[in-house]
DNA sequence: CAGTATCCCTGTAGATACTG
DNA sequence: CAGTATCTACAGGGATACTG
């Protein structure tokens, strides 16, 4: 890693990597949808319930984008149900999401005031 | 942590924590500014140089917001220079930023296609 | 159930010029 | 050096109704 004891190896490169990640997870919903999927939601309505206040419109849009970015897969099962799953690729986002939840948890009070 | 082997403790709570964090780091610039500060930038123009393509307008706006959220501090030094520093509070965001950079680095190829 | 179709509004951010 | 002031644009997202 580049950040260590204020001795960055290549700040400009890290900026770019950070930007890439920000781009993928940008927007109000993507990370939440991924979290829902990580936690086991598979069906469209299931995801909609797991992600508070999301509209169908936004859910559809985001699912499509996430699929395009290979973060999730959409399949029709044998009994004709639609099933969403995160890809192995998206699984690698888990540590990032976990860190974000951790941070939000630990610093909730500070955020409020 | 809540995410572990598909057995979330409280998904709705985690959604909220995730949302809090997303809110704090939202926008195109905040994380980059924090990264610049973590890596040692202190002066306004220094930060402006460290964060590619940011305009003065955005830098000013974001610095103000970050200050309000207690993520950075702005002080005038004895020799009348403006000095920005991240707070201990913002230091705790480092693991999240590191995870994001890591992810961006590892998955750069996938993002490109 | 799994979505689409419209319509509309606001916030985020860019460009550019200016200031103490 | 460390910012502020305007003016503008567009994309992200909300509300609501509808569909196969």
């Amino acid at each position: 890693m580049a950040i260590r004891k204020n001795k960055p190896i290549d700040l400009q490169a890290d900026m770019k990597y950070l930007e890439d990640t920000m781009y993928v997870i940008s927007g109000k919903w993507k990370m939440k949808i991924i979290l829902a999927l990580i936690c086991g939601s598979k069906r469209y309505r299931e995801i909609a319930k797991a992600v508070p206040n999301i509209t169908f419109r936004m859910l559809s849009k985001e699912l499509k984008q996430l699929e395009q970015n290979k973060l999730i897969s959409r399949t029709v099962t044998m009994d004709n149900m639609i099933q969403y799953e995160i890809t192995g690729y998206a699984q690698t986002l888990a540590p990032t999401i976990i860190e974000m939840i951790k941070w939000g948890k630990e610093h909730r009070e500070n955020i409020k005031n």
Side-chain angles (χ1 to χ4, degrees), chain A residues 93-111:
Chain A
L93 265 176
T96 302
I97 297 178
I98 288 171
E99 280 303 330
M100 290 175 72
I101 293 173
K102 238 192 229 170
W103 195 86
K105 194 168 199 160
E106 282 165 18
H107 297 279
R108 178 134 210 190
E109 303 315 312
N110 304 55
I111 291 163

Side-chain angles (χ1 to χ4, degrees), chain A residues 74-93:
Chain A
R74 177 188 185 277
T75 48
V76 183
T77 62
M78 285 171 302
D79 48 343
N80 253 0
M81 301 209 157
I82 311 294
Q83 181 169 314
Y84 289 98
E85 279 168 304
I86 50 170
T87 60
Y89 180 35
Q91 289 279 5
T92 64
L93 265 176

